[in-house]
Amino acid sequence: MAASTGPVPETAGGPDRAEGAGRAPARRGAEPGRIRLALTRHWYAWAMTTPVIVVVGVLVGWPLARGVYLSLTDATEANVGRTIGVNVIPATYKFVGLDNYLSILSSGLFWERLGWTVVWTAVCVGLHYGIGLALAMMLHRKVRGRSVYRVLLILPWAIPGFVSAFIWRYLFNSDFGVINAMLKAAGFGAVGWLDDPFTAKIAVIAVNVWLGVPFMMVALLGGLQSIPAELYEAAEVDGATPWQRFRHITVPGLRSVSSTVVLLGTIWTFNMFPIIYLITKGGPGHSSEILVTYAFREAFTGVRDYSGSATWGVLILALLVVLATVYRRALRRQGEVW
């Protein structure tokens, strides 16, 4: 039998209908939403992360919401609800709106504490990064005993912060401190490190730098090890000086690591409560007190002002959110995806 060689008959509706016969018709609303699609595809991941989300919501979300609410009231130790024996005293504090925020922002105390907090953060993070980068570059070279040096330099980070604070407080003691003993042995006079506002600030900055440099060093050392050695070899063959290799290879190669560690260091230092409180307690007077230590003092000393402390806490959070947002946008303008 001879096969038919005639033209293929068109389907009803013309050639356009025949051309689209193999495709499903595109209808608006036929595709599921993005959230539903994500839940359908990644249901196992969501199931695994749900307990963590619930725990974080309970431990972080609820206290945060409670703090924001208290900042809008006049709650103090005298008017909050409490139970004494079998007697239940109801809460009598009331909603005051934004009065606490206006009171704090219009006072010179907030701006004075903010100014010192910014100086404290900028100096500490700058020294963290500078010294950490210098040590990382030294340890990146092949030197004898490099592993021993790494262990010794990372020890300050391994010691708990409160232990380091107590040790350094003893070292800075005016009468029995080791630092003053060394100064006297060298022929200099003793210094009241924690008795003068200026030297107290120098002392807490020194302690915080000693604690923070190891983290920067380890992070930047990992970044240095990820830069291909061929780039340095090619630059050296082309006659690039050490400064040019550092500027055009090391700095761009560390940009992603640097952006992350600087932001983390800024947030940690901005809220570095243990060092300030355990070494100087914010003194002498209130000269070395930063925002977070003052918020603690409002809530836990004297007549406890819960609403005032909560307001300070919300303002600190708002400042850090603004800082992180601005920093992230600046990185995006430079081409960093973060």
Side-chain angles (χ1 to χ4, degrees), residues 4-286:
S4 175
T5 57
V8 179
E10 297 181 357
T11 58
D16 294 338
R17 178 77 173 267
E19 183 180 354
R23 297 198 308 260
R27 292 181 299 172
R28 181 175 298 179
E31 296 183 358
R34 294 177 60 185
I35 297 179
R36 183 179 176 183
L37 187 62
L39 291 175
T40 303
R41 289 183 176 178
H42 310 293
W43 66 269
Y44 185 77
W46 284 108
M48 293 295 100
T49 57
T50 297
V52 178
I53 295 174
V54 173
V55 171
V56 171
V58 172
L59 298 181
V60 177
W62 165 245
L64 177 61
R66 179 66 175 173
V68 173
Y69 169 72
L70 287 177
S71 70
L72 302 175
T73 67
D74 62 349
T76 63
E77 186 180 15
N79 58 20
V80 296
R82 55 195 181 278
T83 301
I84 302 177
V86 296
N87 300 318
V88 178
I89 302 176
T92 58
Y93 60 86
K94 59 183 181 298
F95 184 81
V96 296
L98 299 177
D99 289 352
N100 292 325
Y101 293 94
L102 296 176
S103 176
I104 291 176
L105 293 176
S106 61
S107 67
L109 179 64
F110 172 80
W111 300 106
E112 180 183 352
R113 297 287 180 271
L114 178 61
W116 160 235
T117 304
V118 171
V119 172
W120 149 267
T121 303
V123 172
C124 287
V125 174
L127 291 175
H128 286 165
Y129 187 84
I131 299 175
L133 179 58
L135 292 175
M137 294 185 67
M138 291 174 60
L139 293 178
H140 188 52
R141 299 179 178 180
K142 295 181 180 179
V143 294
R144 182 176 298 178
R146 182 171 57 176
S147 300
V148 177
Y149 297 146
R150 288 181 180 178
V151 172
L152 293 177
L153 289 172
I154 207 173
L155 277 179
W157 193 31
I159 300 174
F162 71 93
V163 175
S164 300
F166 285 128
I167 293 174
W168 278 96
R169 183 176 175 83
Y170 176 75
L171 293 177
F172 283 122
N173 187 277
S174 301
D175 300 323
F176 310 105
V178 176
I179 297 177
N180 275 345
M182 295 173 62
L183 291 176
K184 291 178 181 178
F188 299 98
V191 177
W193 293 102
L194 306 181
D195 301 327
D196 180 75
F198 179 76
T199 55
K201 292 178 179 179
I202 297 296
V204 292
I205 288 175
V207 176
N208 194 54
V209 170
W210 183 79
L211 287 172
V213 162
F215 168 75
M216 288 286 184
M217 179 193 69
V218 171
L220 294 174
L221 180 59
L224 287 173
Q225 292 174 345
S226 67
I227 300 176
E230 293 79 6
L231 297 178
Y232 292 101
E233 295 172 359
E236 190 172 0
V237 170
D238 291 340
T241 62
W243 168 250
Q244 290 174 331
R245 294 196 296 269
F246 173 78
R247 179 182 176 184
H248 298 290
I249 299 177
T250 304
V251 173
L254 290 176
R255 186 171 297 162
S256 59
V257 177
S258 299
S259 60
T260 302
V261 296
V262 167
L263 179 60
L264 290 176
T266 300
I267 294 174
W268 292 340
T269 307
F270 199 89
N271 287 325
M272 183 55 70
F273 172 82
I275 301 304
I276 299 291
Y277 187 77
L278 295 177
I279 293 181
T280 65
K281 295 188 181 297
H286 299 289

